[in-house]
Structure formats: structure tokens, C-alpha cells
Amino acid sequence: MSTLRFHALKEALHRDSVSVEETERRSELYARNVFDQTAMLQYLTKDSYQSVISAIEQGDKIDRRMADQIAASMKEWALSKGVTHYTHWFQPLTGGTAEKHDAFFEFMDNGMGIEKFGGDQLVQQEPDASSFPHGGIRNTFEARGYTAWDPSSPAFVFGTTLCIPTVFVAYTGEALDYKTPLLRALHAIDEAATAVAKYFDKNVKKVNASLGWEQEYFLIDSALVASRPDLVMTGRTLLGHSSAKGQQLDDHYFGSIPSRALAYMRDLEVECMLLGIPVKTRHNEVAPNQFELAPIYEETNLAVDHNSLLMDIMGKVAHKHNFKVLLHEKPFAGVNGSGKHNNWSLTTNTGVNLLGPGKTPMSNLQFLTFFINTIKAIDEYEELMRAGIASASNDHRLGANEAPPAIMSVFIGQQLTQVLKELEGVTDGKLSPQEKTDLKLNVVGKIPEILLDNTDRNRTSPFAFTGNKFEFRAVGSKSNCASPMTILNTIVAKKLKEFKKEVDVLIDKKSLKKDEAIFNVLREYIKQSKNILFEGNGYGTAWEKEAKKRGLSNNKTTPEALKIKISKKTLDLFEEMKVMNKTEVEARYEIEIEEYVMRIQIEGRVLGDIAKNHIVPTAIRYQNMLINNVSGLKNLYEKDFKKYAKEQMNIIEEISLHIGKINTKVAAMTTERSKANKLDDIEKKATDYCNKVKPLFDEIRNNCDALELLIDDELWPLTKYRELLFIR
């Protein structure tokens, strides 16, 4: 056994099980380190408090005088918690979070030091924009960018640092982060949904999009991860033979949580509660060493911030428990990968869930309006929805009989399918009095208030209605939720905006009553969007054929999927809804396609290194041992030595065969990479990496994994699946 593997296994096997007692109530811990409304009421003046609330609820601008007051109060609150530094906490297009810490410390004119934090420091800072992914928006020599305070997401204390959530924009004004387009999309859905909601309740003044994410992840002993170069460099195992026991017995899912994992979860939950992340659920997932946590629903912008913060906290807490958190969508072949289901709904300021059926026909009509408009939006922009969850890592998971396929479809269940059929079947044109009554009492009025138990779940559906919300199941586990949420809220906002125009035309020009006009437009939407509805098995080849007949896209790879992002249809959508301009959209496309190339490039380099410098030398070493054994047998048995050395000679030959194939395929992969790297066109480069470089990974892996079964376990250099996935 290699020295590194030996020590890694020894260390992992002798971990002490950490015991953490849950002594404090979650309600007492919650938001203790957050400058929320409770803290603001205590520290802010009445005027400055009202200024922040107006900024959050109405989007009003906070003037600099008020900003100075707020900053001074925020500083006092932070100092009371032992804070020494502050940072603008933002989400650049790297996929992670970013922060630069500055001390509160300043010199006075007399040379004395004081703690100082003013409105200027609170409202704005200037990080180097050209050092983050920018898609050509900034040149290397044009470095200026700005972070600007987002009052709608409260500041928080982590460690000894005050973290202030901000947007990140270029000097020229274009968004360089995930948050800015999301905020614009949330403004668009607020305006569009509020206008439609007023058909049913004139008191509606605001509509918030809510989000509840479900975060799946793997916990692996940190010593074992350190012994695997592929896990360290790429976040996934590029080779490794499946363990004899994986998830086939279904004995891990919802099972008793292992003690070390539970200790980690407890510490993580405490940190989350202190930071105002309302985590509620924890459990074992399907694959060995795979787990999930989920929070209570929140407003989407805050939920996205909390998920981004969580992914950072997870790694820091894991380090204390000698764990490594793997958020890659497919870190291990042969067992389930990880997703991040995004549960989405719309809620009014009056407390009504617009995707929750009410007790009366009128509230049912309101539900159907938002329900059908969402389906229609997905039908029109299904390719863009697919593009919103595209990445090199998520490509491994989509359609792998464990996650939704790359084909976008909507599942609504038998009961609602029947409701839509009945609504569609109403006579075209102006409704008769009898039809109005039938619709009110027989179709619209018969939807129960709670649909949660009236429809089965379809785990193969990428976008499923689950009783009072839609669940976007295809989002990858390490993705920033902002990207799919920006797209979803934008397309639904556009559809609601068009819906209102069509309804108003029928009311104003056709003299139809409001309900009658709504029914007429909804009926047409149902007819037009039937192709996107699918209740069956999304994994089967039959669905691929059926989806093709329906005209649905099946973009299985990221280079294919991303192309829609720079189509005229997409550019027009984002421009019209004022979410992103052409420059911002094209910049994001360039960043994402370049990231795809770089990730495949890195994986190819790492795989080539492991295969040539770890696997092949080990195979040769074992082969030499067998050759010496055969030579010894020849000396002993001379004439009959082949009889006794037959198996050894077969293994020697098989090893040579695999070594030859590995060397050949690694050389071919290197050649294809070199060819792709010479291409100036980023689309062609990505396509070549996808279609010519990446397929060689599996061929190299197959031969390496075959050698794992042939070579003496004591010699094998890499920690094996059975060791990675079953250490407790």
C-alpha cells in the first residue's frame, strides 16, 4: 500500500467521534449575529430605521446623511460582538463568494487610533473588477469596479468580521455578479405579478418570489480526500472502481445518521442559526456518505445569499471535524450525484401564496391564473431553463437515472391535468352563462385547498408542481441559485405581463367581464402549452422520442445548452424586462463557456498525470513482481512451469494490454487538447473539448479501473471507493 494511502486510512480509522450537545433552543440562537430588524430597532434612530425599511420594502434610496447614522450604529452593534474588521460580501461570477477585510481602525489628526466606520465605507467599495470573471466587460488595465450595499439582505457577523451583502458592478455600470440581475428579475416579477393579483384583490401592493433550496452534499474524511489528487484538484474522482457495496440495498437513505456526521450537522446548524439561515431538515441521502439539509422558505434574494453563505460555512465547519464537503454534482461514479432542488412560489404582501389553491372558486381562479402562466412561461423558454442549470459538473448528473433529464418538462399530477382538460374544453369565444357557472362550480371550484397529497411525486421531472409550489429539481448542488432563479422569475414576469395585456384587451375592446376574459386567455394558454406537460418516466428512451415529436429541446451538454443564452429571443427577453442588457448577457455566456473549457482542461491534465505517474508505474511494479514469480517457478519446475505460472502470465499480459491502452489514450487526449487550445473561437474550442477530449476520459478510466482489480491492494496508490465511502 502506498505510504500516502496507508497514513490516510490509518488517520481516518482512528478519528474520535465528536460529541456536540444541542443545549440551546434554535429560536434563541436564531439571527443572533445578524443586524436584522430586531437589532436595528435597538441601535438605529427612528429616522434611520425607517430609511432602511423604506429601502427594503419600496426600494427607496438611502441618502448619505442617513447612511452615516446607519454605519455608526452598525459599527457599535458589531463592536459589541467582538468584531474588528468589516467587508463587502459579494457573489462574483466565479461561482463562490468574495470578501476583502478592512479594519475599523483609523488615525485621528493627533495620531491617536480610533474605531471608525462611516456611510462611505458602508455604501460603496472599489474592488479590482478585471481580476474577476467579466466576459470582456473590463480590460486588464481597466480595473475599476464597485460593490454597493444591498439593504434588503441584512449584514451579519462571521468570526470577527462584519459582512455587508453587496452587488458588484463595473465602472461602466454592467453587473459583474449574480445578485444584480436577480434583484432586477425580482423587481420585474413583483411588478408583473402585483398587476395580475389586483384582478383578485385590490389590496395587493407587492408580490415576493420565495425560494426554499434543498442542499445535497457528500462528507468524506479529509485525510482520505488529501490522498486523492483528483478529488483535491477537481472535486470528483476521475477514476476508481465501484465498491462491491454501493447504494443498491437502499440502506443509507433516511437511515440513522452516523455519529461523526451528526456532530458535524449540529455544529453547522448552530452556525447557520446564528447567521439567520433557518435550516430545519437534515437526513441521510441515497448514496453512502451523502446527506441533505433544507431550510424554511425565504424571500428569494435572501435565500440565495443564505445558500451561498451556507456553502462557505459548510467547508469551514467540516474542517473542524476532519471532513471535506464535496458539492460536485457527481463526485463518485456508480452512486447518486447531488442536486439542489429549488422550490419556488409567489406570495403577496397580504400573506397569500399565489400558487396555493384557496377555499373559494375565486381563489381557485387566482391560483389557476398564476399556475397556468408559469407553465406557459416554461413552455416558451424551456431551452433557457436548461441553459440556466448547465455546467460541466451538472452534465454528469442530468439524465443519469438519478436526476431529471436534460429535456425540460412540467409535471402537475393527474388531478390538475384533468382540471386543465376541462377548462380547455369550454366552447371557444364568449362564455355562455351556463358555461360560466360550470367553470365556477365544476372546474375551478373543485380544486381542494391542499393538493400536497392529491398527486404523486415524479422524481424524473425537472420542473414539478408539488401542491403549493413548483420544484425546479435539475439545479446542480454547487450552483448559485441566483442563475436559475433569475431566469425563472424573468420568464414568468414576462408571461404575466403579456397575460394582463391580453386580458385587458378582452375587457376593454370585447366588453367581456373580468372573469370571462381571464378564462378565455387561460384556455388558450392551456392549448398552446400542452407539449411541455409530461407525467411519465423522464428516464426512458421513449420520452426522448416523444419529446422530439413535441418539438422540445434535448441539449445534453453544456456547449449545446448555453447557445440559447445569446439568441435574439433571450437577448430581447432580458432587455425588455430590464434584467440584463446585451453586454451583460453575452459576457455571462463567454464566462460560462470558458469555465466549461477550463474545467474539462483541468480534469484532462489531472487524469493524465494520475494515469501516467501513479497508475502505470504501479502496474509495472506489480508486473515485475509477477515476472520474478514466473522466473522462480521456471527454475523450480522447468518443463512444466507454464502449467503452474499460467495465471500469472495471463495477468502479466492483461496488465501490458491495459498499460498500452492507457498510454495510447492519454497521448490521444493530450493531442486533442493541444488542437483544441489552438482554436480562437471559444464555441468551437468548447465543442472540441466536449466531443473529442472528454470522451477519452472514460476510455482511460476503464483501463485504470481494470488495473485496480488486477493489482495487489497493498500496492494500489489511490484510496479506493470502499474506503472513501464507508469510513465512519
Side-chain angles (χ1 to χ4, degrees):
M1 187 182 297
S2 71
T3 304
L4 183 61
R5 181 182 166 207
F6 172 78
H7 287 297
L9 284 168
K10 183 179 178 182
E11 186 177 342
L13 287 166
H14 289 85
R15 298 287 193 203
D16 290 328
S17 179
V18 181
S19 178
V20 178
E21 295 296 328
E22 295 179 330
T23 56
E24 288 195 78
R25 294 182 178 181
R26 290 293 186 259
S27 58
E28 294 172 353
L29 289 170
Y30 183 68
R32 188 181 291 176
N33 290 340
V34 181
F35 196 64
D36 58 5
Q37 290 195 27
T38 302
M40 285 192 285
L41 281 169
Q42 184 178 353
Y43 282 87
L44 295 181
T45 64
K46 184 178 180 180
D47 287 345
S48 57
Y49 172 79
Q50 192 55 53
S51 180
V52 175
I53 297 304
S54 296
I56 294 170
E57 295 181 353
Q58 279 87 43
D60 296 339
K61 196 169 184 178
I62 298 174
D63 65 43
R64 284 305 174 101
R65 182 178 61 84
M66 284 296 177
D68 283 335
Q69 291 183 25
I70 295 163
S73 300
M74 196 181 288
K75 180 197 71 176
E76 291 307 312
W77 171 79
L79 291 175
S80 73
K81 294 185 172 295
V83 166
T84 59
H85 289 68
Y86 66 92
T87 182
H88 275 201
W89 182 84
F90 58 102
Q91 299 166 46
L93 299 172
T94 57
T97 59
E99 53 196 63
K100 179 192 73 167
H101 297 192
D102 285 309
F104 285 128
F105 182 79
E106 293 281 354
F107 275 125
M108 295 178 68
D109 291 340
N110 61 7
M112 293 180 63
I114 61 168
E115 272 70 36
K116 188 175 180 182
F117 181 59
D120 289 346
Q121 289 82 26
L122 169 63
V123 171
Q124 185 175 301
Q125 280 192 338
E126 187 182 323
D128 183 348
S130 66
S131 296
F132 291 100
H134 53 75
I137 289 176
R138 299 267 73 194
N139 290 312
T140 304
F141 63 90
E142 294 174 325
R144 184 164 288 169
Y146 297 112
T147 51
W149 176 35
D150 171 19
S152 65
S153 186
F156 57 91
V157 168
F158 191 68
T160 59
T161 304
L162 171 66
C163 301
I164 303 157
T166 62
V167 299
F168 179 39
V169 297
Y171 177 71
T172 48
E174 289 89 1
L176 295 174
D177 64 346
Y178 287 103
K179 181 187 274 281
T180 303
L182 176 65
L183 289 173
R184 295 170 184 163
L186 294 175
H187 177 70
I189 192 73
D190 175 21
E191 283 193 335
T194 298
V196 173
K198 284 181 179 293
Y199 283 142
F200 309 97
D201 182 358
K202 296 292 184 184
N203 295 316
V204 174
K205 299 290 188 292
K206 185 175 180 60
V207 172
N208 281 322
S210 62
L211 169 64
W213 38 262
E214 303 168 29
Q215 182 70 60
E216 295 178 346
Y217 62 98
F218 282 83
L219 276 181
I220 308 297
D221 192 280
S222 55
L224 300 182
V225 172
S227 70
R228 292 282 311 216
D230 47 358
L231 275 177
V232 171
M233 301 293 287
T234 72
R236 76 179 183 105
T237 52
L238 296 172
L239 47 81
H241 199 280
S242 298
S243 171
K245 180 183 182 295
Q247 64 189 49
Q248 60 267 51
L249 295 178
D250 298 323
D251 55 347
H252 189 256
Y253 189 52
F254 276 29
S256 177
I257 301 173
S259 58
R260 279 186 67 198
L262 185 58
Y264 163 76
M265 290 176 178
R266 287 169 172 167
D267 274 3
L268 176 62
E269 288 174 5
V270 167
E271 291 289 348
C272 287
M273 281 291 159
L274 290 171
L275 292 167
I277 306 173
V279 292
K280 186 175 178 67
T281 303
R282 65 190 185 202
H283 63 82
N284 290 1
E285 255 300 331
V286 173
N289 280 25
Q290 187 186 33
F291 307 95
E292 179 181 300
L293 82 161
I296 298 170
Y297 287 41
E298 298 179 284
E299 184 275 327
T300 298
N301 177 47
L302 186 57
V304 169
D305 279 4
H306 279 166
N307 184 251
S308 298
L309 179 58
L310 170 87
M311 291 191 285
D312 189 26
I313 298 170
M314 289 174 80
K316 291 175 180 176
V317 175
H319 181 71
K320 297 177 183 177
H321 289 260
N322 298 304
F323 277 128
K324 176 73 174 177
V325 173
L326 301 182
L327 293 175
H328 193 286
E329 284 79 1
K330 191 72 173 177
F332 302 100
V335 298
N336 277 15
S338 298
K340 178 154 51 193
H341 301 172
N342 278 209
N343 296 278
W344 172 87
S345 190
L346 298 170
T347 307
T348 68
N349 63 295
T350 57
V352 175
N353 178 1
L354 295 172
L355 289 174
K359 295 178 180 179
T360 65
M362 183 50 67
S363 22
N364 279 180
L365 177 57
Q366 177 177 263
F367 157 72
L368 282 172
T369 296
F370 287 91
F371 176 71
I372 294 168
N373 270 276
T374 301
I375 294 170
K376 186 70 166 65
I378 303 299
D379 178 60
E380 292 186 12
Y381 291 96
E382 47 93 7
E383 277 196 277
L384 185 57
M385 288 287 285
R386 166 67 180 95
I389 46 107
S391 70
S393 51
N394 209 21
D395 281 356
H396 292 284
R397 173 177 161 266
L398 296 178
N401 284 356
E402 62 184 74
I407 304 167
M408 291 294 111
S409 64
V410 179
F411 170 83
I412 62 173
Q414 292 182 354
Q415 184 180 23
L416 285 171
T417 298
Q418 185 58 37
V419 169
L420 297 193
K421 282 182 179 177
E422 291 185 33
L423 187 56
E424 179 194 354
V426 176
T427 308
D428 288 341
K430 193 171 181 179
L431 302 177
S432 68
Q434 184 178 357
E435 287 171 332
K436 294 176 193 176
T437 304
D438 287 344
L439 279 169
K440 287 276 184 122
L441 300 180
N442 297 335
V443 181
V444 180
K446 75 177 185 181
I447 305 172
E449 184 178 7
I450 300 298
L451 281 163
L452 293 176
D453 298 324
N454 293 343
T455 177
D456 199 358
R457 292 179 64 201
N458 187 335
R459 64 188 298 272
T460 72
S461 176
F463 199 79
F465 185 72
T466 54
N468 58 2
K469 63 188 183 301
F470 279 100
E471 182 179 19
F472 194 11
R473 297 175 51 84
V475 181
S477 56
K478 71 176 183 180
S479 298
N480 187 308
C481 297
S483 183
M485 285 297 103
T486 296
I487 291 170
L488 177 57
N489 284 288
T490 302
I491 64 175
V492 175
K494 176 173 170 57
K495 184 43 56 186
L496 288 170
K497 186 178 173 184
E498 292 173 347
F499 171 79
K500 187 174 188 305
K501 283 183 181 178
E502 293 181 55
V503 170
D504 287 349
V505 165
L506 292 180
I507 294 172
D508 297 338
K509 296 185 178 179
K510 301 289 184 181
S511 300
L512 267 62
K513 296 291 186 183
K514 179 186 67 179
D515 294 354
E516 193 175 354
I518 290 171
F519 280 132
N520 272 278
V521 178
L522 290 181
R523 183 181 56 226
E524 293 307 308
Y525 281 9
I526 292 168
K527 292 176 181 178
Q528 294 163 10
S529 59
K530 285 192 291 186
N531 282 341
I532 200 69
L533 298 176
F534 180 63
E535 306 294 302
N537 178 14
Y539 292 161
T541 54
W543 169 230
E544 284 197 30
K545 295 176 182 177
E546 172 63 23
K548 188 175 182 180
K549 287 181 183 177
R550 296 186 185 190
L552 300 178
S553 65
N554 185 11
N555 297 321
K556 295 184 177 181
T557 68
T558 292
E560 286 179 282
L562 289 179
K563 288 178 182 178
I564 193 66
K565 283 200 169 186
I566 52 172
S567 68
K568 185 178 185 304
K569 181 179 179 180
T570 300
L571 293 172
D572 289 347
L573 165 74
F574 286 125
E575 288 269 14
E576 178 190 340
M577 303 309 296
K578 298 180 181 178
V579 172
M580 285 185 281
N581 60 34
K582 185 173 184 286
T583 300
E584 290 170 322
V585 175
E586 290 179 342
R588 277 158 177 73
Y589 170 76
E590 186 174 329
I591 290 166
E592 289 173 24
I593 203 76
E594 282 183 348
E595 182 186 353
Y596 178 85
V597 168
M598 287 187 286
R599 290 201 179 276
I600 303 300
Q601 184 183 73
I602 290 168
E603 288 188 352
R605 289 172 175 170
V606 173
L607 179 58
D609 169 56
I610 295 173
K612 294 278 286 184
N613 299 319
H614 295 254
I615 305 303
V616 169
T618 301
I620 292 172
R621 182 181 173 191
Y622 183 57
Q623 194 178 47
N624 287 336
M625 292 171 65
L626 292 176
I627 290 170
N628 289 335
N629 177 263
V630 170
S631 297
L633 290 173
K634 186 175 183 180
N635 291 334
L636 280 175
Y637 297 105
E638 293 187 3
K639 294 181 180 179
D640 295 332
F641 89 93
K642 289 185 179 180
K643 174 182 174 182
Y644 298 100
K646 180 180 178 182
E647 293 304 321
Q648 292 91 322
M649 292 174 71
N650 286 341
I651 295 173
I652 290 168
E653 185 177 342
E654 196 170 348
I655 289 173
S656 291
L657 184 66
H658 289 303
I659 289 173
K661 287 182 178 179
I662 289 170
N663 286 332
T664 300
K665 295 302 178 183
V666 169
M669 178 184 66
T670 304
T671 300
E672 291 298 340
R673 273 207 326 265
S674 297
K675 289 179 181 177
N677 290 339
K678 292 176 183 176
L679 296 172
D680 294 325
D681 188 313
I682 190 63
E683 285 188 16
K684 290 180 180 177
K685 183 182 289 189
T687 300
D688 272 18
Y689 263 98
C690 180
N691 297 331
K692 296 180 180 179
V693 177
K694 189 180 173 185
L696 292 165
F697 290 6
D698 287 339
E699 297 183 46
I700 295 167
R701 177 176 191 150
N702 290 339
N703 287 284
C704 290
D705 290 356
L707 287 174
E708 183 181 327
L709 295 181
L710 291 173
I711 293 172
D712 186 348
D713 183 70
E714 292 294 314
L715 295 179
W716 193 251
L718 301 176
T719 305
K720 296 185 175 182
Y721 269 32
R722 68 167 187 264
E723 297 156 347
L724 288 166
L725 290 170
F726 295 97
I727 293 292
R728 293 290 184 263

